Amino acid sequence: MDIPPLAGKIAALSLGALPLSYALNHVSALSHPLGLALMSALILGLLFVAIYSLSPGEIYYDPLYAVFAVFSFSSVVDLLIALQEDGYAGGFMEFFTKEGEPYLRTAHGVFICYWDGTVHYLLYLAMAGAIRRRKRYRNLGLYWLGSFVMSVLVFLPGNILGKYSSEIRPAFFLVIPYVLVPCWAGVRVFNQARAPTCYAPNVVQEEQSKGILRRPVDLALVIYLTLAGFFTLFRGLVVLDCPTDACFVYIYQYEPYLRDPVAYPKVQMLVYMFYVLPFYGLAVYGLIFPGCSWLPDWALVFAGAVGQAQFSHMGASMHVRTPFTYRVPDDAWACFFGSNLLYALGPQLLAFRCLWRPAFFLHPPPGPLAHHKKED
């Protein structure tokens, strides 16, 4: 695999988080929450200056290069936090999890740190390497955008609404640029030109003339999205305290983590119900009717979002940091794991299908299209 030279430079810079965090862990001034917040802001500023001095050409070409470089540094920090909280490392980030963001010590916090320190980190290096080589990275950017936004949509409200709401410290307000910058980055990613397609008009016309029954892969995805939509609605009703017997049995016998007072699982299910469920309905429409050119982009966004969400949700449901009462029961483990794994894989398959053969989603070619043949 060809590793971009500059991706290696960013990786080396991001690994500077190891000695820096170890040194800061022994600075007594950081035992005060305000001192920690000010030091964190100073480090981010100095990091940006260092990146600019090392790679001004890449930043002028695409300012997102600096964003990915800074976030790769924070990804290493998050991985250190997760490894420390699980007992695989020590002496690095105790000061931050105690005085800065104690909610990162929850099971949900640990798993979003794992995801950020692995998946996001690799995406940052890949996208920075693409900028260095003046290559496209729009698809990677859309996947990262969905994953990042989902993490923020669940983690921040969960911190405010859950049992850690009284633990909000000054360092929490550093999330303001951490949220605004990705919003700006997302707009830039969406505005990038799409990769050109090489389908002849007759191929597009032929593909779009096929009904859903002549496209078994799309039919399977429509069935999956329909079932996943019902599952999404059901779990949303469960966390809203629906009084039906089915909801009562599910939350106590299959997924008691939804009752955890940390609030992350409740917020997660509500985000699914209000954002992912409507997308599933629109995706079914886009798979049935041709010319929905918006579907490939949004399929990538939601694939990243659901992948991140399910990784954190499934991991936290079984982690030792979750009280035993709220963990998945042993006799329901197979059902829980199977259903949640399928829920995570479906959006990935939808995104792959959209990228694999996008002719059905292209704008119809000029001229009348052939009528859809009736299916028996």
Side-chain angles (χ1 to χ4, degrees), residues 218-275:
D218 291 354
L219 178 61
L221 285 172
V222 167
I223 295 173
Y224 164 83
L225 291 170
T226 303
L227 296 176
F230 280 114
F231 187 55
T232 303
L233 178 61
F234 174 72
R235 291 203 293 182
L237 294 176
V238 166
V239 299
L240 289 174
D241 296 327
C242 178
T244 63
D245 292 340
C247 293
F248 181 84
V249 170
Y250 185 82
I251 199 171
Y252 279 92
Q253 297 186 13
Y254 291 94
E255 210 164 336
Y257 179 57
L258 298 180
R259 298 187 293 115
D260 195 324
V262 293
Y264 302 121
K266 295 182 177 65
V267 175
Q268 183 66 78
M269 295 306 113
L270 293 177
V271 170
Y272 277 157
M273 187 168 68
F274 290 113
Y275 294 97

Side-chain angles (χ1 to χ4, degrees), residues 56-205:
E58 281 66 38
I59 295 177
Y60 281 122
Y61 175 77
D62 190 339
L64 290 185
Y65 180 87
V67 174
F68 300 147
V70 172
F71 280 8
S72 67
F73 185 91
S74 68
S75 292
V76 175
V77 172
D78 283 345
L79 184 59
L80 287 174
I81 291 174
L83 293 174
Q84 171 192 283
E85 295 303 320
D86 276 346
Y88 299 115
F92 286 95
M93 297 300 298
E94 285 95 341
F95 73 97
F96 191 79
T97 54
K98 288 180 179 178
E99 302 298 337
E101 298 187 61
Y103 28 80
L104 288 174
R105 309 183 76 176
T106 63
H108 184 86
V110 168
F111 274 90
I112 66 169
C113 286
Y114 273 127
W115 183 270
D116 189 51
T118 54
V119 176
H120 284 174
Y121 184 64
L122 294 176
L123 288 172
Y124 295 141
L125 295 185
M127 290 187 290
I131 294 173
R132 172 66 177 84
R133 294 181 295 172
R134 306 302 192 256
K135 301 292 185 179
R136 299 178 186 273
Y137 62 91
R138 190 172 187 271
N139 290 342
L140 291 176
L142 291 174
Y143 192 91
W144 161 77
L145 180 64
S147 174
F148 192 95
V149 170
M150 177 62 82
S151 175
V152 171
L153 282 178
V154 175
F155 191 58
L156 296 187
N159 296 338
I160 298 172
L161 300 175
K163 68 178 184 180
Y164 283 88
S165 59
S166 60
E167 300 286 343
I168 300 296
R169 310 288 172 81
F172 178 80
F173 297 99
L174 291 175
V175 303
I176 295 176
Y178 198 67
V179 171
L180 295 179
V181 171
C183 291
W184 166 72
V187 172
R188 289 188 63 92
V189 170
F190 263 105
N191 288 336
Q192 291 180 7
R194 296 180 180 179
T197 57
C198 55
Y199 288 98
N202 63 315
V203 174
V204 176
Q205 187 178 39

